[in-house]
Every structure is written in C-alpha cells, then in structure tokens.
Amino acid sequence: MTQYIIRRILLMIPTLLGVSLLVTGMIRLLPGDAVDILVTENAVGGGSMAFDQLVDEELVEPFWEDAPSFDSADDASFADRQDAELDVLARTAIVRDRASEEGINLEDSETRREYVGAIPSRERQEIRNSLALAAYKDSIRAELGLDKGFVGQWWSWLSNAARGDLGQSIVGSQRVSDELGRRLPVTFQLGALAMFFGAIIAIPTGIISAVRQDSMIDYAVRSSAVAMIALPSFFLATLVIALLSRMLDYSFPLYYAQLWDSPGANLEQMVMPALILGLSLSGVLMRLTRAQMLEVMRQDYIRTARSKGLASNAVVTGHAIRNAMLPIITILGIQIPVLIGGSVVIEVIFGLPGVAVYLYRAINERDFPPIIAINMVIALIVVIANLVTDVAYAYLDPRVKLS
Amino acid sequence: MSAASDTPITGDTFVRPQPSAPVRAWRATIDFIKRKPLGAFGAFILILVVVVAIFSPWIARDAIGQTHSGDHLLPPSSTYWFGTDHNGRDIYSRIIYGAQVTALVGAGTVILVGLLSVTIGLISGYFMGTIDFIVQRVVDVWIAFPAIFLILTMVAVLQTTGNLGILGLGRGPDWGPDPRGGPWIWNTFPRTTIVILVLGIVLAGGAVRVVRSAVLSVKANPYIEAAQVIGATNNRIIWRHILPNIMPTVIVLATVQLGVAVLAEATLSFLGVGVTNFPTWGQMLSGRTQDLMASNMHLGLFPGFAIFTAVFGFNMLGDALRDVLDPRLRGSR
C-alpha cells in the first residue's frame, strides 16, 4: 500500500509538469497580453511630455550613428535636441514606410530632417505617442519578465512556485497566493454543499430505482436523471433568480458574506447556488448509483439471502445497500472535477468570489500568473482527490488489491 | 458436378427468403421505436434540429439581426410567437437560426472527437508498450483538470481578436465573409471553427480511454490471434477486424458526446466566449436577459427549453443506442 501511494505520488509529478507546460504554452500563444490591456494611450499621458520623459529615461534609444547622444541632450542646444527627435521619428516604421513609398532616401541626415520636419505636427504627435507607448510597454514587460521567452518564463514560474511564490497578478497587482487563499474556501464551501445536496438527492432515488427495476418509479427516476444532465445550470440558475424575484420579491445579496463573519447571511446566499449545482450533479450520480446498485443486486449472495427466506426489505438494506455504498462513495470522489467545472457558471451568475470566477476574469484580462496558478492548483486538487479515492476504496474494501 | 445440384432449390425448403435491405432497415427502425420509445423521441429531436438548421432561413420569420423598432420586450403573441427581446428582435426567429450553431458545432465536435479518439485510442491500445505509456500519461494531463477550464483557456487563446492569433483563426469576424452578410452560420467561419476545434480536442481526452478499452477487449478475442498467426499485417488486422468491432462503441460514444458538446457550446456562448456574431441559444440567456428575466420570463424560457430539449433528446438517443449496440458501456459516464 505504502509503495503504491509513493508510486502514485511520483506519477503525479510528470502529470503536474505536463499541466504547467500546457498552460504556459497556451498562454504564450495569446496574441495580446495584459500589458496591452493595462496600458492604453491615456496611461502614458500622450503628447510630447511623455515622449521627452521617455527620452530622458533612455527608454527610447538613439538609433543613428550621427544622432547626438541623449545623455548630453540636457546640455545641448534646442536645435540639437529637435534634430535628435526628428532622427528618432525617422526611425519609426510609419515614417520609413512612407518615405520608401515616396522614394525618398532617409540615409542622408539633411534630407531626413527636412522630410520629417515637413510632416504635419498632428501626425508627428501621433507617431511620437505610438513610439512612447511601445517603449513604455516594453519596459513594463521587462519588469514583469514577460520578455523571457517560453522556457525562461516557465522555468522562473516553476522555481518560484516551488518556493511557494505563485507570482503577482499583473492587472490587480495583488499576490496570487493571497487571492487564492481568499477564494479557495468559497469554492470549497460551494462544492461541499453541492456534493451534499447532490448525494442526498441522488443516492436514495438511485437505490429505489435499482430495487424497483423497470417499474414506473425506475422510468421516472431514469428520465429525470437525464433531464438533470440536460438542464443547463445557467438556465436553472437564471430561472430560479427570476422566479424568486417575481414571486417572493427576493433578490440575492450583491456582496459576499464570509462564513465566519456572518454564518447566517453566508448560508443564505450559498444554499441556492449549491442546490442548483447539486441538482445538475445529481443526474450523473443517480445513474451511477443505480448502475452500482444493480451490479450488487445481481450478486450470488443476494440470491442466497433471498432464497433463505429473508424479507425483501432486509435483503436490500442489510445486504445490497451496505455493499453498494462503498463504490458509490468513491463515485462522489470522481465528481470533484465536474463540480469545480460546474462552479464557473454558478459563481459568475451569483457573484460569488470563488476560484472559478477568478480564472474566468483572469482569462478575459490575459493575466497570466493567476491563470497558470489556478490551473495548477485545480489540477493538483483533482490528482490528489483521485489518489485519495483510490486509496480509500482499497482501504475500505479488502478484496481490492492496489498494484 | 451432377445436374441435380445445379437446379435451384424450390418447393418446401427451410431457407426463409431474406427481405431486401431497405425493408430490413425499416423493420429495424420500427423495432427500435417499439423497444425504445424515448430513444426514438431522441432521434426525432435530432432529426428536427438538423432539419430546422438546414431550412432555418425559410422557417425563420425575420432576417438575421432584424429589429422591430418600438416592439421591445413584447410577450408572445400571434405576430411574435415567442415574443421579442430588448432590441425588438423576434425570439422565435433567433431560436430557429440558433439551431444552425447547435447542429454545426455538435456535428463538427462529434466528428473531431471520433477521429481523434479512434486514431489515438487504436494506436495506444493496439501497439501497447512505450507508446501506450506515453499516450496514457498525456491523457492523464488532458483530463486532469475540469474541461471547462481548458476550454475557456483555449478559446481565449485562439479567439483573441485584433492581432493575428494562430493560423489567422483569432482574427474573428473581419476575416472571411461578413457574418452579417447572410443567414448561414458558416459566415462566422473563424469563430465557429475555434469553438469546434477546442471542444473536439478537449472532449477527446476521455473518449480516448473508452476507445482504448474497447480495442483491448476486442484484441483479447481468439480471432485476432488467429489472424496474427496466419500472418495478417497489423494494418489489415486493424482495418478488417478491430475497427468494425469497435464501431458500436464509437457510435454510442459519439451520440453521448453530442449532448455534452451542445451543452458545452451553450455554456461558452452564455459566458460570452463562444460564437458571438450569430444568434445562439446560450447567448440568448446571457447579458441583458439576466436583468430582464424577472419581469419578462419569455426572454429566457424559450432558448432555455430549446437547449434542454435538444440535450435531453440526444442523451435519450445515446442511452437507447447504448442498450441496443453496446451493453458493455451501460452505466458508465
């Protein structure tokens, strides 16, 4: 057993490395990044002020050999400084493209300055702004380590994560580990409540359905199980919110109440989302419970119990349910990824500050550190849950040998 | 040979005349309807969605995006069968057009899942060894986290508008025909393709496992060993013996995945990352509908029931097909 657990934990390492590679790789393919969203034209202030400032901070480097150095720009005469600016503008793609279209050679400094000087000041301003913006963005990217390339970015993330540092959100600038610490309990609570509701709906109905196989009850349970699977949770949630508001004039609170601050308010706003999530989970659970129960009912010892004259109820409660419960409990463990996946929509609709909605927002904002961290944490939870399920099953059922 | 054996057998024989192929197909269909009425209902829903999708420009009453100024948020009436939305658009027409997205994304995803899972599952299950170990570790990663997370991340990656994206796919509506140019979903080609690609790739992960286990159980049959003994090539064994025998599993898998794909597409549209430039059922439930639903129930009821009916039907069909074609899979999922 110990050996098996150790081997499973060792097998988790390549899986988690694979997940981190996959997520980092996908994010590298994103065309825009958070910097593009963060830095709008307005953020730089626009205008020559920003451009001058960037020149002073040496973010925009001098490109031409005969351009005067910007270190001496402060001492240089106004005319020199203006010339330098014209040189920088002449280097931009917009101006070069325009010049080459018109067949003008910008190599010569006199023609160059004359040509750029002739560009209307409004257009020159736009070019300046775009140049300043690009330089500003590059400086931020360098600061955040976004310019390091795929392997570099992945490695630095991995080495930081190994030390418990999951990085910092680019957009919100809060630490990802703090944010996850705040949000994970919300998702856990939602998931646990949903699991509870799902189980108390699905397990009794699934058992009854199996015991009364091919009866009307069985057909009703099976049909409603498929209906639960087919009913989109976002439709159910929208419907519930609308009906509550229509009939009881009730609306869900806008702000999330912490469980330990005000348990009553917290439960009030958590029960309905959890019930909806639990309902959509109960469809799959019902079917699995029924299948498991039928499997047990086919066993020889059930026939023996019946043939020795035991009452039908006693057979079901004393022999069948006891033996079916074990696999049913492990089935609950397998549903954890389904639950976490389902909570995306529920958290979005009910405005719960959970992990799933955090990922949804981070993806929309191209905020890489949270995207990688959340995917990793979720993958870790799922892999550990699978391991715990397998081990618990083997521990509870002596017939199962893990190898 | 003697003349006697050449004469056709006539008169009282034990050979029952075989009915022709169409007659047999018809009888099988009737038999299926009798034995699995709910499955037949599912098949009817499937056919209905496809027919509505194909003929939607003629069935719908309005052109795409047509608004009726002044007729905002009207309840269902004889003019607007399902009422109008906050923009004054006919909800009935939008649902009819939405069937195109459901049908195309559903079919495309299922075909992609089928191709990917059969190819990978066959190779992994038939050849075993190192290749199987590697494939199974990749599948571990594939299904290690919730599908919706992977789908959201991938769609965001592929769909970022503005810049190039991958293979020009991220360019969105400005690439290819103008999506407002006609009543057909393929006018929104890049976005629909992205949704199909992502759903297909993500959902194939679990399907690989199912196909692999089917291949393993077919491989254990003595006729495979016999074929190997008489020197049949791997190619021949795969094409002639394994593939036909895993087909029932693949068909059941495809039907079950159809419901999953349609539900996932609706969820993506609801979250605003699916097909955005064409009416879809999921999209009709998002945005303003969330705020207006309480006083205008018809806004969300009709698209919601459309999704529900379609997915319910597909799942019922999948269950019935599973019972008929592949009892081994019963109770899985």
Side-chain angles (χ1 to χ4, degrees):
Chain A
M1 183 81 117
T2 323
Q3 235 182 354
Y4 172 77
I5 295 174
I6 291 171
R7 210 174 51 236
R8 279 288 296 266
I9 290 174
L10 286 180
L11 263 180
M12 270 160 63
I13 295 171
T15 308
L16 292 177
L17 281 181
V19 170
S20 74
L21 262 176
L22 184 73
V23 177
T24 325
M26 282 202 300
I27 285 167
R28 284 290 301 174
L29 297 171
L30 279 175
D33 58 29
V35 177
D36 281 333
I37 293 174
L38 207 62
V39 183
T40 55
E41 300 268 343
N42 299 333
V44 200
S48 55
M49 278 294 287
F51 182 74
D52 287 345
Q53 203 184 331
L54 289 166
V55 169
D56 288 343
E57 287 172 12
E58 293 179 32
L59 288 173
V60 181
E61 286 173 30
F63 308 106
W64 300 73
E65 288 124 60
D66 58 346
S69 156
F70 281 110
D71 293 333
S72 56
D74 291 335
D75 317 320
S77 67
F78 179 69
D80 274 354
R81 196 183 163 88
Q82 221 172 15
D83 281 349
E85 204 183 303
L86 291 179
D87 282 335
V88 173
L89 288 179
R91 239 331 245 211
T92 58
I94 312 166
V95 176
R96 268 184 302 165
D97 287 354
R98 218 153 81 163
S100 65
E101 251 175 52
E102 291 167 25
I104 291 162
N105 183 15
L106 292 181
E107 291 296 320
D108 178 47
S109 66
E110 280 305 312
T111 5
R112 182 168 70 227
R113 283 167 195 167
E114 203 176 305
Y115 178 74
V116 179
I119 295 174
S121 61
R122 177 190 284 268
E123 276 178 50
R124 246 195 294 172
Q125 193 65 41
E126 277 168 16
I127 297 169
R128 270 206 204 101
N129 287 351
S130 66
L131 204 63
L133 195 65
Y136 181 57
K137 279 183 185 171
D138 281 346
S139 74
I140 294 183
R141 283 198 187 100
E143 211 173 284
L144 295 171
L146 295 181
D147 56 346
K148 265 188 241 163
F150 175 46
V151 177
Q153 227 171 311
W154 179 65
W155 182 248
S156 72
W157 185 86
L158 207 61
S159 51
N160 284 334
R163 276 182 263 120
D165 175 16
L166 292 173
Q168 216 167 25
S169 166
I170 296 173
V171 177
S173 80
Q174 70 273 50
R175 299 187 57 74
V176 175
S177 43
D178 294 347
E179 194 70 17
L180 274 178
R182 262 197 300 279
R183 287 168 176 274
L184 270 174
V186 181
T187 304
F188 275 145
Q189 195 198 348
L190 179 67
L193 271 176
M195 186 78 93
F196 171 72
F197 286 131
I200 59 166
I201 296 168
I203 293 178
T205 44
I207 289 174
I208 293 171
S209 164
V211 172
R212 305 245 179 282
Q213 197 187 356
D214 291 326
S215 67
M216 277 317 283
I217 296 178
D218 184 27
Y219 284 122
V221 169
R222 278 158 70 190
S223 305
S224 56
V226 181
M228 288 304 158
I229 295 170
L231 195 63
S233 57
F234 57 88
F235 176 47
L236 192 59
T238 315
L239 210 58
V240 165
I241 292 176
L243 285 175
L244 280 180
S245 138
R246 208 182 160 92
M247 295 159 93
L248 303 174
D249 206 19
Y250 175 83
S251 58
F252 282 89
L254 289 172
Y255 299 102
Y256 175 72
Q258 299 283 356
L259 180 60
W260 44 89
D261 288 348
S262 44
N266 172 275
L267 281 180
E268 184 198 328
Q269 69 186 144
M270 283 301 248
V271 163
M272 200 41 95
L275 192 61
I276 290 167
L277 195 54
L279 266 179
S280 31
L281 183 72
S282 70
V284 182
L285 274 183
M286 247 184 250
R287 289 162 65 102
L288 292 172
T289 307
R290 179 177 175 275
Q292 202 56 60
M293 192 68 188
L294 282 180
E295 186 71 35
V296 172
M297 300 281 281
R298 268 200 292 270
Q299 298 295 320
D300 288 341
Y301 55 80
I302 297 291
R303 202 182 314 145
T304 312
R306 280 196 200 287
S307 57
K308 75 181 180 191
L310 218 54
S312 190
N313 272 340
V315 174
V316 171
T317 50
H319 292 77
I321 291 182
R322 281 182 152 219
N323 284 297
M325 271 329 267
L326 196 59
I328 288 171
I329 288 169
T330 58
I331 285 166
L332 293 180
I334 303 167
Q335 299 304 318
I336 287 177
V338 182
L339 262 183
I340 299 174
S343 58
V344 176
V345 165
I346 297 295
E347 284 176 16
V348 168
I349 293 179
F350 287 94
L352 300 174
V355 177
V357 80
Y358 187 32
L359 176 81
Y360 176 61
R361 215 186 56 203
I363 285 173
N364 279 337
E365 289 168 345
R366 312 272 174 276
D367 198 352
F368 323 121
I371 299 180
I372 305 180
I374 296 167
N375 273 310
M376 285 304 292
V377 169
I378 298 299
L380 188 68
I381 292 171
V382 171
V383 172
I384 290 177
N386 286 346
L387 175 64
V388 170
T389 310
D390 283 358
V391 172
Y393 190 51
Y395 180 73
L396 293 170
D397 188 345
R399 284 173 305 177
V400 176
K401 275 220 157 62
L402 297 175
S403 58
Chain B
M1 297 297 277
S2 67
S5 67
D6 285 346
T7 51
I9 303 166
T10 50
D12 301 328
T13 59
F14 293 104
V15 181
R16 243 231 242 79
Q18 277 293 313
S20 64
V23 173
R24 261 181 297 156
W26 174 249
R27 282 188 188 160
T29 314
I30 296 291
D31 191 46
F32 182 75
I33 293 172
K34 273 187 192 155
R35 280 172 57 200
K36 300 277 169 194
L38 276 172
F41 167 74
F44 169 73
I45 296 289
L46 177 63
I47 294 167
L48 185 71
V49 169
V50 171
V51 168
V52 167
I54 291 173
F55 296 103
S56 54
W58 295 278
I59 299 173
R61 309 183 64 180
D62 281 359
I64 289 243
Q66 188 179 330
T67 56
H68 302 272
S69 52
D71 291 353
H72 303 290
L73 294 169
L74 288 183
S77 65
S78 58
T79 330
Y80 307 112
W81 292 346
F82 293 172
T84 56
D85 64 5
H86 52 277
N87 286 327
R89 291 171 299 191
D90 180 25
I91 292 178
Y92 165 77
S93 302
R94 282 169 68 73
I95 287 182
I96 296 295
Y97 286 120
Q100 282 187 36
V101 183
T102 303
L104 193 67
V105 173
T109 307
V110 163
I111 291 170
L112 191 59
V113 168
L115 287 178
L116 279 176
S117 61
V118 168
T119 314
I120 300 174
L122 252 180
I123 293 173
S124 172
Y126 186 77
F127 293 103
M128 297 303 283
T130 323
I131 196 164
D132 182 53
F133 182 80
I134 293 169
V135 168
Q136 290 316 307
R137 293 291 79 73
V138 172
V139 172
D140 276 346
V141 175
W142 210 334
I143 57 180
F145 44 106
I148 190 83
F149 281 27
L150 203 55
I151 291 171
L152 279 178
T153 312
M154 282 177 78
V155 169
V157 167
L158 289 168
Q159 209 170 52
T160 307
T161 47
N163 287 314
L164 271 175
I166 307 162
L167 310 169
L169 282 175
R171 279 167 140 203
D174 58 329
W175 198 55
D178 185 353
R180 287 152 303 178
W184 296 106
I185 175 68
W186 46 79
N187 285 326
T188 68
F189 158 62
R191 274 173 180 264
T192 322
T193 321
I194 290 166
V195 174
I196 293 174
L197 264 180
V198 170
L199 288 183
I201 291 173
V202 171
L203 296 181
V208 168
R209 283 271 156 91
V210 178
V211 172
R212 176 176 171 272
S213 70
V215 171
L216 286 184
S217 71
V218 170
K219 230 179 89 178
N221 282 314
Y223 56 79
I224 301 292
E225 208 179 337
Q228 279 164 345
V229 167
I230 60 169
T233 58
N234 284 335
N235 219 345
R236 186 181 160 84
I237 294 176
I238 286 176
W239 282 102
R240 294 298 298 269
H241 299 294
I242 299 206
L243 206 53
N245 282 307
I246 62 166
M247 259 352 250
T249 311
V250 174
I251 291 170
V252 171
L253 194 65
T255 326
V256 171
Q257 295 281 6
L258 188 61
V260 179
V262 168
L263 206 52
E265 186 277 325
T267 309
L268 280 187
S269 293
F270 175 78
L271 290 173
V273 286
V275 177
T276 49
N277 43 10
F278 199 85
T280 74
W281 297 344
Q283 187 197 99
M284 290 171 78
L285 272 159
S286 70
R288 294 279 284 143
T289 306
Q290 290 289 313
D291 315 325
L292 297 168
M293 179 86 169
S295 41
N296 305 276
M297 293 297 280
H298 68 273
L299 273 184
L301 272 184
F302 291 107
F305 274 122
I307 302 171
F308 171 71
T309 315
V311 180
F312 182 76
F314 299 163
N315 283 342
M316 277 298 178
L317 178 62
D319 278 2
L321 284 180
R322 166 160 53 211
D323 290 350
V324 173
L325 293 176
D326 191 3
R328 191 159 35 98
L329 274 173
R330 192 177 298 180
S332 65
R333 258 193 84 185

